[in-house]
Amino acid sequence: MKKLAALLLLLFSISSVYAQMNFLPKFIRKMYFNKDSTRKPNFVVLPALSSSPETGLEVGGAALLSFYTDTTDRLTNVSSLFGYATITTKGQTKLSLNASYWTPHNKTHYFATLSYYNFPFDFYGIGNNTVLADKDLVFEKRYKFSYESDFSLGSGLYLGYVAGAFKYYYRFDRNRFGVLRSDPNVEDNRGGAAVYVGPSFIFDTRDNNTYSTKGIIINAYYNLMHGAFINNGYEGGFFNIEYSQFFKLDKKLILGVDVQEQSLTGAASPFYLLPQMGSDEMMRGYYEGRYRDRNYLAGQTELRYRVDPRFGLAAFVGAGEVFHNGFSFPQLKPNYGGGVRYFFDVEKGLSIRMDYGVGQKPAGEPRESGLYVALGQSF
C-alpha cells in the first residue's frame, strides 16, 4: 500500500500544476496536458514503469498514435497504433505492436497484434486450488500473431472472423523435478505451435469505445486450432465471451459491470492454452496463471468517478474461478480494490490507469494482491 500511496501523491501533485505547464516545450504540452477538441491525430510517448505479481518492477517505453478516420462524424470510434518494449526485474522481456482501425461510421473494425515474450514465470499446477509450495520456475518464450475483422450489420451488430498463429517454447531446471514435469495433468510441457481461425461476434451500443458511460458490448469468438510443426497432431478450440454494460448514475459517476467466460475445447489440454485467472483487467490482485484449468468464469463491477476532465477515481469488486468440468459457487475467489486514472487525451477519453487489487488469503500463505499500471480502462 505504500507504493500505491506514493503514486497517488505523485499524480495529485501533477494535478495541481498541470494547468501552469507553459514552460514546457509545445510538443510535450500537446501530448500530455492540452485539451484537444479538433479530433486531430495525437501521438504520445510514455515511459513504462509498473509492477504486477507476475513481473515485479517493469520498465521500458510505449508509444501510442490515436486518430479518427472521419473527423466530421462524432460517432466514429478512435483508431490507434500502440507499441511497447519492456524489461522486468524477474528477467522478462516483452515486445508488442497493436493496431486498431475503425473505418468511417464504424462500418468495419480491423484489429491486429504481433508480440514476442521472453517470460520466465512461476507455475503452480492445474486447478482452482494450487498451493504456494508447488511453485515451479518455468522459462517461456512465445511468439504470437492475431488478426480480426468485424463487419457492421447495423444497430451495433458486427460479424467477422479471427485468425492467427502462435508458438510456445518451455525449458525448466533439469535438476529440479517440479510440478511442470511431475504432475500428470500437465500436458505438452515442452510447448507447441498452432494456427487458428474462427468466427467472431460483437454487439456494441456504447457511447464511446475508450471511456464508456452508457451502453452494452458483447464480444465473442471461437478459435479452431490445428497444431503445426512437431505439434501437428493437435486439434482443439478456444471459446471466449465477454459481456459489459455501463450505467451513467450521475454526470461524473459511472457504474460498469463485466462478466467473462472462457473454455478450452477438444480432447487435449495443452497447459499453456488453459484459461488463466488474473490480469490487469479482470481479477486484479491474482498472479496471472496461478490458477488455470479448462474453464474460467469471472465477473466484476467497477464504480468510476470523474474528478475533473483530467483525473478519475475507481473502486472495483469481483469474483471468479477456474474449473475442469462443473462450476461451483463455494469455489469462487473474491477480489476488490481501487485506483486512479489520468486522461492524457480528454477528447478521445485516453487514459493511464493505476490499480491496486486484493484477492483471497490461502491458508498458510500471504494474501494475494498486486499493483497494476496500464493504458486505458480495465473494460
Side-chain angles (χ1 to χ4, degrees):
M1 291 300 292
K2 291 182 178 179
K3 290 182 181 179
L4 180 61
L7 287 169
L8 283 169
L9 179 60
L10 173 61
L11 285 175
F12 282 108
S13 297
I14 293 174
S15 175
S16 66
V17 300
Y18 78 81
Q20 305 173 16
M21 287 292 182
N22 292 330
F23 65 89
L24 290 174
K26 183 178 179 179
F27 77 97
I28 295 290
R29 285 185 277 124
K30 176 176 170 53
M31 280 197 294
Y32 300 110
F33 302 109
N34 290 347
K35 182 178 179 179
D36 182 8
S37 59
T38 63
R39 295 174 69 84
K40 292 181 179 179
N42 185 36
F43 179 73
V44 59
V45 178
L46 301 166
L49 176 62
S50 63
S51 177
S52 73
E54 306 87 49
T55 63
L57 183 65
E58 183 173 357
V59 297
L64 173 68
L65 173 65
S66 58
F67 58 95
Y68 293 99
T69 57
D70 187 338
T71 58
T72 61
D73 176 23
R74 307 297 294 187
L75 297 179
T76 297
N77 288 333
V78 62
S79 300
S80 63
L81 287 173
F82 175 58
Y84 67 87
T86 61
I87 58 174
T88 78
T89 54
K90 294 189 177 183
Q92 300 148 341
T93 305
K94 299 181 185 178
L95 299 171
S96 182
L97 181 63
N98 308 275
S100 177
Y101 186 85
W102 291 89
T103 62
H105 314 298
N106 302 327
K107 293 296 184 182
T108 308
H109 181 218
Y110 303 101
F111 183 79
T113 300
L114 180 64
S115 63
Y116 163 75
Y117 282 16
N118 183 356
F119 203 84
F121 67 94
D122 293 326
F123 179 65
Y124 296 82
I126 309 297
N128 198 53
N129 294 294
T130 59
V131 295
L132 186 62
D134 287 338
K135 183 171 69 172
D136 187 10
L137 179 62
V138 177
F139 296 88
E140 175 188 84
K141 288 186 179 181
R142 59 176 134 149
Y143 309 83
K144 188 171 185 179
F145 169 74
S146 61
Y147 175 80
E148 180 175 349
S149 291
D150 299 298
F151 307 95
S152 174
L153 301 181
S155 301
L157 181 63
Y158 292 81
L159 291 178
Y161 66 92
V162 293
F166 58 79
K167 178 177 175 57
Y168 288 78
Y169 170 74
Y170 297 92
R171 64 180 177 88
F172 36 77
D173 186 352
R174 292 184 177 276
N175 297 319
R176 184 173 184 272
F177 198 64
V179 66
L180 186 67
R181 299 174 65 189
S182 63
D183 188 343
N185 294 318
V186 178
E187 298 182 25
D188 294 346
N189 62 11
R190 284 295 189 180
V195 295
Y196 63 87
V197 66
S200 63
F201 166 87
I202 297 175
F203 177 67
D204 190 356
T205 65
R206 295 173 299 168
D207 58 340
N208 188 294
N209 68 320
T210 52
Y211 185 71
S212 306
T213 64
K214 60 182 179 179
I216 295 171
I217 179 169
I218 303 172
N219 191 341
Y221 62 83
Y222 183 63
N223 295 339
L224 288 164
M225 297 181 286
H226 192 286
F229 308 117
I230 61 173
N231 200 39
N232 191 56
Y234 172 68
E235 292 183 351
F238 190 91
F239 175 73
N240 176 88
I241 184 168
E242 185 170 8
Y243 170 92
S244 303
Q245 186 168 2
F246 303 90
F247 305 89
K248 194 169 186 177
L249 305 181
D250 186 72
K251 184 178 180 180
K252 294 185 176 183
L253 194 62
I254 308 301
L255 177 67
V257 178
D258 184 34
V259 180
Q260 185 175 26
E261 196 278 336
Q262 296 180 336
S263 292
L264 185 68
T265 64
S269 303
F271 87 96
Y272 49 87
L273 296 181
L274 295 174
Q276 304 176 43
M277 178 187 294
S279 72
D280 62 25
E281 297 178 343
M282 179 74 83
M283 296 303 291
R284 284 161 281 182
Y286 288 90
Y287 187 103
E288 186 173 8
R290 164 72 188 264
Y291 307 103
R292 65 177 81 197
D293 213 322
R294 287 182 61 91
N295 301 281
Y296 169 49
L297 179 62
Q300 61 183 338
T301 183
E302 183 168 290
L303 194 62
R304 301 169 180 172
Y305 179 70
R306 196 75 173 258
V307 178
D308 62 28
R310 288 291 179 183
F311 285 90
L313 301 173
F316 56 87
V317 61
E321 71 174 85
V322 298
F323 53 97
H324 189 78
N325 290 318
F327 173 81
S328 171
F329 273 103
Q331 290 293 316
L332 279 171
K333 301 182 186 301
N335 84 311
Y336 61 90
V340 296
R341 284 90 177 97
Y342 173 73
F343 292 85
F344 59 86
D345 190 321
V346 174
E347 176 65 22
K348 299 185 182 74
L350 300 174
S351 62
I352 303 171
R353 167 172 56 92
M354 181 178 61
D355 292 320
Y356 191 83
V358 179
Q360 70 169 0
K361 186 184 184 307
E365 300 179 14
R367 182 172 295 278
E368 299 182 70
S369 64
L371 178 67
Y372 305 87
V373 178
L375 280 174
Q377 301 300 313
S378 56
F379 63 93

